[in-house]
Structure formats: structure tokens, C-alpha cells
Amino acid sequence: MAYVVGDYLLDRLHELGVTEIFGVPGDFNLRFLDHVVAHEGMRWVGGANELNAGYAADGYARLRGIGAVVTTYGVGELSAVNAIAGSYAERVPVVHIVGVPAKDIQAHHRVVHHTLGDGDFHHFRRIAAEVTCAQADLGAADACAEIDRVLRAVRVHRRPGYIMLATDVAQVEVEPPSAPLAPASDFSSAGARAAFEEAAREFLAGRQVTVLADVFVDRVGATERLRKLVTTADLPHATLAWGKTLVDESAPNFLGVYSGAASEPGVRKAVEDAERLVTVGVQFTDSITAGFSQHVDPRRTIDIGADRTVIGGVDAFAPLSLPTALEVLTEIAAEFAPNHISVAAEPGHEQPSADGPLTQAALWPMVAEALGDNNIVVADQGTAFFGLATLRMPSGITFLGQPLWGSIGYTLPAALGAGLACPDRRPVLVIGDGAAQLTIQELGVWIRERVPGVIVLVNNNGYAVERAIHGERAPYNDIAPWRWETLPHAFGADPDAVSVLRARTVAELADCLQAAAEAKDRLVLLEVFTDTVDYPPFMTDVAASITKANSRS
């Protein structure tokens, strides 16, 4: 088989760490998929639909550093746009490859299937331009150069890229890559670094320093540098819920999760009253700050962003990368004042009656305590996310959520993608029944791929997060009742591959969590029942702030 453009694209993706490609076949991508199947380093993971495939690629990319999804033109790619937009909003590098009609069909403006019937084949590229950092319509003359350009942009900006691969261009013969793609280099200028170091010394010397970090630290690959800073200088530190598990939450100087007015009092005081606060990769959003209720004084803050740092709300230093800024602070950390902040113990949880009905207050601490130190915890944007976000987790846990884009149902395919990205780790998906109904088809793919994991499905008869905001008993927040325990069999599971457990009381949940922990070689579906209008406290606070914002005239 001749070496062609499709092979070049696959080799470049494999070079960057992709070994699984998600997607749905369509006639405009089928010949390219032949090359995917034939590639020694790639494996095709066909999804139930394009939206789910996009979500799976996103979850995969959060663990691997990059993911890829293949769809067909028009009908396929538009189904994936929601997933790609979420990846764009949350800085997740996913490459969207779209199989499109041959160049001669495009040149003659033919009215073919999956089009709008007007001969314009760039409608959807213009849509993609709003939610991707780079786009390319590959041509025979420049396909390889354009592939490299898009992939470089995806690596640098940590956002999705879009590639139109025409059926005929995919088969054009080319030479294999002659050298690896150049790695993203540190763009910091020596002048900006030196000026920042001087200003930071003056601003922080002899001062008590507290660190508040968020998810963009992970996106730019600076997690280890953050951990080095807080451990080298023995600094009290917190994260936002979006950046949960960036640091070791069992460390003695970990304060907890900061969420504005919804924070534990000790966490809120330590962050908001800090003599000097260093915010790293922080973006305050409504859902993680209980409606922008944070009170951070910029005059006492060093704010480290992706490409610039601001001291005292006034002095900006750029171009200065986030990793370089952390490196500078670590180098001068000996000049900070000794740590005198005592980290408050995590609040105790009232011991519920073992035989009483299961409540949100009882559920989430029990789930958090049952987690192993190598789990990937994926929490859907509802009771699951808000129930777990403020609870401490063991060292080695990776916590994934989508609090900015907040597309319910995202996590079921994303947990599958994360499990395929890290086959030595066990994904634990926590999702509500309303969210699960949106993407449950991917359970069949999960079963087919034989990914061991745990799905904790909260059966509370509908959209609890929407009930908490408005319409607590309104019919539009109800869902169709499903017999969840029958679904694994309906989606193709053999009895030896999946365990189905159910818990209505605290005692039953304890037994089920123990059974789930022991069933490491299989998929476990654990259905837990809580009251329809029972909410985690954090969700109640966030819902109240959203209700207030939505009610303004």
C-alpha cells in the first residue's frame, strides 16, 4: 500500500501520543478509516454517535495530552460541534478530522448528500472556526505542511483543531515525515523574566504567601512545577473545583477547595485574607465561585496566567509563560515569610442511620472514602460534581469535570475515553439519571471495549441541578423512568463482564462500594437512590446564585 496523506496524518498523531481514534464512519471518511485500521500504532474506537465520540476524545485528551475524532462531512461534524466547543472552552486539545467530498465534486459545486444543496462546501468550516484554534482544508500540494501547522497550533494553544480531508486528497502519495514536529518552546523573554523576578522579590519578601491554583496549570503541563513550589516553600495552598486534584489533597498544607462564599470558613479566610496570594492558572466562573462571590484583592495578589503575570493588579510582565513564572517563584521561595497558617481539619460528617434512606449528605463522603489512589474520577455537572468537588480525595486521584461548558451527559463517553487513555487506571464515573439518558448509548461501546470501571448512577428522578435552580416540582425537570439495571444486558454485556448493584440505604451502599472495589476486572453499574429534591450543599449555593442572576430584570 502506497504511503499517502492519510498515513502522514496518522503518523503525526501517533507521534504526539494518540493510539486510539474515536469517531463514526461515513462514506466520505471510509477510505481514510482503512488506513486507520491498517496503522500499526492506531486503534479505531467507533462510537454510538458523533457527539459521544467527541466527548470520548475529550476525556482521552485530558489524560493523554491530545485526542482525535473522525466524522463525516455535514451531518457527522455538526453532531460533534457541541463536544468540540466544550473542548475549546476548557482548553482540551482534540483534533477533529472531517471526511469531505472529493475536490472535483467541490470544484463543480455539485449538490451531493450531507450538504445544504447550494454547492458551498465551506459552511461548516466557518462554523468550526468559532470553536477551534486552527483550521485546514487539505489540498494535494500542501497537505503535509497544513497538517503540521494545525497540529502545532493545537499543541501551543491547547485547543481543538479542524482538518478537512477530502476523499481524494487522503489518497495522494507523499513522503513520510522527515523529522518530528518541533516541541512547543518556552516563549518567555529574558527581559520579562528578569523584571518579574525583581518585582516578585520586592512584593513577596518577608510576607506570608498562599497559593490558589486552577485547571490551566494542568493544561500547560505545569502541574509538577506547581507541586514543587508549594512543597519547597511549605506554602498553604488551595484549588478551585475546576482544578481539583492538581495537588496532593492529603498534604498537610492543602487548605481545601475554594469556592467563594460557598467555601468552608477556614478555606475562605486563608485565601481571601492572605497577606500575599499567588493565583496560578485561575479563571473565576459562576459555577465554581457560587455566582462570582470570590473576594480576592488584586492589590495583594500575583496573578499568573498562561502568557503573562500581573502583580498587585497593576504591573504586567509579558511574554512570560506560566511554567517560567512558577520556576521564578520557586527560586526565590526562601525569601518568603515562614508559614504560620494552620490548616483546619476537614469538617466531620454526621454519621447517618445505616438503615435510613440514602441522602446526598451521606452519599458523597462514602463515595469519596471508597476511592482508590489510582482512580480517574469523572463527575457529571450536577449533583455528582457538586457533591464531590469539596471533598478531599486520596493522593494519586485524577478528578475530571466540565464546570465551564457544563454539558450534561458529557462524562459517560469522557470516562470511557479516559479509561482507554490510561488502561492501567480505573475510571469511576459519577452521573445523574437525567444526564445519563443523554449519552447512555456509549455504554455499549464501554462494554464492547471491556474497560473495567465503576459507574455510580444517581437515580433521583430527573434533572436535580435544574430543580435546584428553578421549577423544583415542574414537569419539565422530570424524565422518563428507566429500568437501569436491565441496560447492561440490553447493550450487550455478558454476566461475567458486568456487575449490577443497587443501594437505597447507607448500609446497602457500604456493601455495594466494597463489592465494587473488589470487582477490579469488570464494569460495575451501581444505581443509588436519593430523594428527588435532595441536593448537595455546594449545589444549593451555586443554584441560588444562578437563580438570582437569571431573575434580574
Side-chain angles (χ1 to χ4, degrees):
M1 185 182 293
Y3 190 90
V4 298
V5 167
D7 298 314
Y8 186 97
L9 174 55
L10 293 171
D11 280 347
R12 282 304 200 201
L13 288 171
H14 187 259
E15 174 191 322
L16 298 180
V18 175
T19 54
E20 280 79 19
I21 291 188
F22 302 88
V24 176
D27 63 319
F28 296 135
N29 65 33
L30 293 177
R31 295 184 70 189
F32 172 63
L33 295 187
D34 286 339
H35 291 262
V36 175
V37 172
H39 196 284
E40 292 184 356
M42 289 291 186
R43 196 167 67 83
W44 171 250
V45 181
N49 59 55
E50 291 87 356
L51 176 61
N52 287 359
Y55 286 155
D58 179 292
Y60 184 95
R62 292 183 191 226
L63 273 298
R64 278 287 181 94
I66 190 168
V69 60
V70 178
T71 67
T72 198
Y73 177 77
V75 295
E77 62 180 304
L78 292 185
S79 292
V81 166
N82 180 18
I84 299 300
S87 300
Y88 185 87
E90 301 220 346
R91 294 287 187 100
V92 182
V94 173
V95 181
H96 187 186
I97 303 162
V98 180
V100 303
K103 288 293 185 180
D104 65 326
I105 291 175
Q106 295 185 47
H108 287 89
H109 305 287
R110 298 193 185 280
V111 179
V112 297
H113 62 286
H114 298 339
T115 73
L116 298 183
D118 60 1
D120 183 345
F121 289 87
H122 284 266
H123 285 296
F124 312 127
R125 180 184 179 181
R126 292 190 287 272
I127 291 173
E130 295 292 327
V131 292
T132 57
C133 68
Q135 310 81 40
D137 179 7
L138 302 186
D142 63 354
C144 297
E146 284 290 272
I147 289 169
D148 288 356
R149 176 182 65 81
V150 171
L151 295 183
R152 286 194 192 98
V154 169
R155 292 179 80 184
V156 169
H157 298 291
R158 314 303 294 171
R159 279 184 158 146
Y162 174 88
I163 293 176
M164 295 175 68
L165 182 61
T167 56
D168 50 352
V169 172
Q171 304 303 314
V172 170
E173 294 189 26
V174 295
E175 293 295 321
S178 57
L181 282 172
S185 59
D186 191 292
F187 52 81
S188 305
S189 74
R193 190 189 194 282
F196 170 64
E197 181 176 347
E198 181 180 357
R201 283 182 187 277
E202 181 179 349
F203 191 73
L204 299 175
R207 304 282 189 164
Q208 170 63 56
V209 178
T210 299
V211 174
L212 177 64
D214 205 6
V215 71
F216 292 127
V217 175
D218 173 73
R219 298 294 189 264
V220 300
T223 301
E224 290 307 315
R225 292 199 186 190
L226 170 68
R227 293 179 178 180
K228 184 177 181 181
L229 170 63
V230 299
T231 54
T232 298
D234 192 30
L235 298 178
H237 53 282
T239 68
L240 288 99
W242 200 3
K244 185 172 178 59
T245 66
L246 267 176
V247 294
D248 181 358
E249 296 188 353
S250 66
N253 283 337
F254 178 65
L255 297 165
V257 170
Y258 175 72
S259 49
S263 309
E264 291 294 335
V267 179
R268 187 177 185 185
K269 185 179 189 313
V271 170
E272 296 183 356
D273 296 346
E275 190 173 15
R276 290 290 186 262
L277 181 68
V278 176
T279 58
V280 191
V282 167
Q283 181 178 13
F284 293 117
T285 71
D286 57 349
S287 64
I288 59 173
T289 61
F292 302 110
S293 63
Q294 77 277 5
H295 290 283
V296 173
D297 185 353
R299 294 171 298 179
R300 292 187 280 117
T301 300
I302 292 182
D303 180 32
I304 302 176
D307 54 13
R308 72 168 192 158
T309 293
V310 178
I311 296 182
V314 177
D315 298 321
F317 303 87
L320 185 67
S321 72
L322 187 150
T324 295
L326 286 176
E327 182 179 66
V328 169
L329 294 186
T330 304
E331 290 172 359
I332 66 172
E335 302 174 30
F336 304 166
N339 171 28
H340 294 305
I341 294 179
S342 59
V343 178
E346 186 177 8
H349 304 286
E350 183 178 345
Q351 292 300 315
S353 168
D355 297 325
L358 196 56
T359 65
Q360 296 277 334
L363 170 62
W364 302 116
M366 292 180 69
V367 170
E369 289 167 8
L371 294 170
D373 61 5
N374 199 36
N375 288 139
I376 304 167
V377 181
V378 190
D380 212 87
Q381 197 62 28
T383 52
F385 182 87
F386 294 112
L388 286 175
T390 58
L391 299 177
R392 296 194 182 209
M393 294 186 175
S395 175
I397 290 283
T398 300
F399 183 83
L400 302 182
Q402 200 193 42
L404 177 56
W405 189 241
S407 185
I408 65 169
Y410 153 80
T411 55
L412 199 157
L416 168 63
L420 289 170
C422 297
D424 59 332
R425 303 181 66 187
R426 195 181 191 196
V428 176
L429 166 66
V430 191
I431 190 170
D433 53 355
Q437 286 196 4
L438 272 70
T439 53
I440 193 63
Q441 307 96 320
E442 221 60 20
L443 181 61
V445 180
W446 196 322
I447 291 167
R448 183 194 71 203
E449 296 296 319
R450 302 187 76 86
V451 175
V454 179
I455 299 175
V456 180
L457 187 139
V458 182
N459 187 330
N460 53 8
N461 298 307
Y463 303 119
V465 67
E466 312 297 357
R467 293 188 197 280
I469 295 170
H470 183 79
E472 191 166 72
R473 298 290 184 180
Y476 47 72
N477 285 326
D478 297 336
I479 60 172
W482 286 9
R483 295 188 180 94
W484 293 97
E485 74 278 10
T486 68
L487 291 187
H489 176 72
F491 282 112
D494 296 324
D496 65 339
V498 178
S499 295
V500 178
L501 308 172
R502 307 178 89 193
R504 295 180 182 272
T505 68
V506 170
E508 289 175 354
L509 178 60
D511 290 342
C512 288
L513 290 172
Q514 179 63 35
E518 294 172 355
K520 296 183 182 299
D521 61 343
R522 60 174 54 206
L523 175 63
V524 177
L525 174 62
L526 168 54
E527 183 180 7
V528 298
F529 296 82
T530 64
D531 189 76
T532 300
V533 291
D534 182 21
Y535 317 123
F538 185 19
M539 191 171 89
T540 301
D541 293 335
V542 171
S545 70
I546 294 174
T547 299
K548 182 179 179 181
N550 290 346
S551 300
R552 291 173 182 154
S553 58

